[in-house]
Amino acid sequence: MIIESPLQLIFRDLFYRLPAFAESHDVFLKLEGFNITGSIKVKTAIGLVEDLEQRGMARPNETVLVESSSGNLGLALSLVCAIKGYRFICVTDPNATRTTIRGMELYGAKVIVVEDRDPAGGYLGTRLKKIDQILQSDPNAVWLNQYANIANKNVHAEQTANEIAREFDKVDWVFVGTGTTGTLAGISERLRQEFPRIKIVAVEPVGSVTFGGAPGKRNIPGIGTSVRPKLADLVKPDRIVAVNERKTVEACLSFLRDYHLLVGGSSGTVLAAVQQLAPEFRRGDTIVAISADLGEKYLDTIYDPAWVEKVIVPEDDRPVRTDAFVAAELGTEKAV
């Protein structure tokens, strides 16, 4: 493969077959973490920026693009804007990993970290207020608005969903972690056309308000919201599964042990949901789950026993169970 731009480094046909992952059922994990910038969000970033360009709302070397992100989209937009010649401001929060923030800065983005939680216990409301301030103060600033922009949905209907449809003759279940719900909306729209009997499962963390859950503090970025996104109005999942963060960490650690791959927090949440619904799967069902990113960005958080003990355990008052193998992989004598 010879490429002309880093933005061509999107791998559309990587599915990790997980034998007997959900009781006796194989699961196919769509790996998006090998894309450039390390996540599915590079598709979203390209789609959002090109949508503005097509509508004549963005001009290189003049327009300042602004977005709120807990990490992956901000990193992807930083690269896209650097290549296309836009200044970019990312408004993020303390849950964003140091690695992601530094990556955004190296690509040339200005990163603003808000510190105050919103009334729902998250940071999204505070981030959106900061964006409003930027728009009021800079006439060249344009908000991409991943939470309501239909381009977010369309890119995943045209790309991610079609990538799944090309790989499988039938799909009975698809599990998607939800934040803005753009990925979920696009996948569900397209795959329902291709596979009318498919069951769409929306996965979110406990504390997310997207599908009517009680608001609560969340510590793992990339999944869930504290302000319901407008795109969620376009989604009617068959099932909604809320996973607490302790189970997310346990799923990431057990996946590392059993399948030898570091996955990100949203992926761990999705994998926990798959196992939760396993009793409902029928013989011969094809089950696809979306892994939005890999785990290298989370070595200081999800995969750090000290962080888990400090941040996750107090939220639940129960230890995160693992085993000696995982403890050894994490460089500790005893797992938390």
Side-chain angles (χ1 to χ4, degrees):
M1 173 187 289
I2 298 174
I3 65 170
E4 303 292 337
S5 166
L7 298 183
Q8 294 175 276
L9 291 172
I10 300 176
F11 300 94
R12 304 185 183 279
D13 57 355
L14 292 178
F15 292 83
Y16 187 5
R17 183 172 189 157
L18 312 178
F21 176 81
E23 296 185 355
S24 60
H25 302 274
D26 292 357
V27 172
F28 297 90
L29 188 65
K30 190 175 194 309
L31 297 177
E32 297 282 350
F34 292 100
N35 297 334
I36 188 67
T37 70
S39 81
I40 196 172
K41 292 297 187 178
V42 69
K43 299 175 184 175
T44 309
I46 296 170
L48 291 174
V49 174
E50 290 186 348
D51 171 69
L52 283 183
E53 291 175 332
Q54 291 164 9
R55 290 190 282 147
M57 297 178 62
R59 293 173 293 279
N61 303 313
E62 180 179 338
T63 304
V64 180
L65 299 182
V66 185
E67 188 54 282
S68 156
S69 171
S70 60
N72 281 331
L73 181 62
L75 184 60
L77 281 169
S78 299
L79 174 61
V80 172
C81 289
I83 290 173
K84 288 178 169 286
Y86 296 101
R87 288 181 291 160
F88 174 56
I89 299 174
C90 182
V91 181
T92 189
D93 59 61
N95 284 340
T97 67
R98 290 179 294 175
T99 300
T100 301
I101 290 175
R102 186 59 183 142
M104 288 190 279
E105 292 172 339
L106 288 171
Y107 282 132
K110 178 180 179 181
V111 181
I112 298 173
V113 181
V114 303
E115 301 287 346
D116 298 328
R117 291 186 180 270
D118 57 32
Y123 292 100
L124 181 53
T126 311
R127 294 188 339 225
L128 296 180
K129 286 183 179 179
K130 175 57 69 174
I131 285 179
D132 187 60
Q133 293 172 7
I134 295 170
L135 297 178
Q136 295 291 333
S137 63
D138 188 342
N140 292 319
V142 176
W143 181 24
L144 292 149
N145 194 2
Q146 61 168 321
Y147 309 98
N149 192 333
I150 201 73
N152 186 356
K153 172 188 74 72
N154 291 343
V155 73
H156 293 290
E158 296 163 3
Q159 297 184 34
T160 310
N162 278 329
E163 292 156 12
I164 295 170
R166 285 197 300 267
E167 189 71 27
F168 301 97
D169 293 331
K170 73 180 183 74
V171 179
D172 300 284
W173 297 78
V174 63
F175 288 73
V176 186
T178 61
T180 66
T181 67
T183 304
L184 176 68
I187 286 177
S188 61
E189 177 182 272
R190 176 69 183 91
L191 290 189
R192 285 194 195 282
Q193 296 170 355
E194 188 74 18
F195 309 110
R197 299 174 65 87
I198 193 173
K199 293 182 176 63
I200 307 290
V201 182
V203 183
E204 62 177 352
V206 170
S208 173
V209 305
T210 303
F211 294 104
K217 181 179 177 181
R218 293 172 290 109
N219 305 286
I220 297 174
I223 187 168
T225 65
S226 57
V227 178
R228 178 179 165 86
K230 290 184 179 180
L231 285 177
D233 295 338
L234 305 178
V235 182
K236 291 181 173 58
D238 298 290
R239 299 292 299 274
I240 300 165
V241 179
V243 177
N244 69 45
E245 292 187 326
R246 178 182 62 85
K247 288 190 177 296
T248 292
V249 173
E250 289 179 345
C252 289
L253 295 177
S254 64
F255 193 76
L256 170 62
R257 177 196 65 212
D258 296 335
Y259 295 94
H260 313 107
L261 187 66
L262 289 161
V263 294
S266 65
S267 303
T269 307
V270 165
L271 290 168
V274 171
Q275 292 187 320
Q276 182 175 323
L277 293 192
E280 300 184 27
F281 303 156
R282 299 171 300 178
R283 183 184 297 274
D285 278 357
T286 299
I287 303 135
V288 176
I290 306 297
S291 173
D293 67 355
L294 297 180
E296 286 80 0
K297 299 186 188 79
Y298 307 94
L299 296 180
D300 293 332
T301 54
I302 293 170
Y303 293 99
D304 180 359
W307 182 87
V308 171
E309 185 174 8
K310 178 181 178 181
V311 176
I312 300 297
V313 173
E315 299 290 326
D316 200 315
D317 293 325
R318 287 178 289 177
V320 176
R321 297 185 181 277
T322 179
D323 58 24
F325 174 85
V326 173
E329 290 293 306
L330 297 178
T332 61
E333 293 182 357
K334 183 178 180 180
V336 295

